[in-house]
Amino acid sequence: MQLIHCPWCGPREEVEFHYGGQAEITYPERPAELSDQDWAEYVFYRDNPKGPFAERWSHSAGCRRWFNALRDTHTYRFLGTAKPGEPLPNTQRNTEVRV
């Protein structure tokens, strides 16, 4: 069982969390003006890197809040978590990732 660090509650077991997708994806400003192709790209097309990746997670069985996480998709290891708007550690370049 892996522990995930919730920025509000601290470390908890992974069964308490739900994946929420890629962190940088924002809802379209004018959704009524999108074509079917634009909607398909918004809904279905996501990055799928091997390595560190910024994601959204929900502590659904705890505080029920959303947070951002930097997770290595190859090892599944969480490299850091942060509240929305706060920087995430970027272990590759020793800088921060803001999502």
Side-chain angles (χ1 to χ4, degrees), residues 11-51:
R12 299 290 192 268
E13 292 184 359
E14 66 183 305
V15 296
E16 295 187 16
F17 298 89
H18 283 97
Y19 176 74
Q22 189 173 342
E24 308 85 41
I25 305 300
T26 58
Y27 193 75
E29 287 185 33
R30 295 188 171 112
E33 297 175 10
L34 295 182
S35 67
D36 289 344
Q37 179 63 34
D38 292 335
W39 269 116
E41 289 178 15
Y42 169 73
V43 173
F44 299 112
Y45 294 97
R46 297 290 185 261
D47 294 336
N48 189 19
K50 181 178 181 179

Side-chain angles (χ1 to χ4, degrees), residues 6-8 17 57-60 62-67 83-84:
C6 173
W8 288 275
F17 298 89
W57 283 80
S58 170
H59 190 183
S60 54
C63 65
R64 303 182 57 87
R65 292 183 180 180
W66 287 92
F67 62 94
K83 296 175 183 177

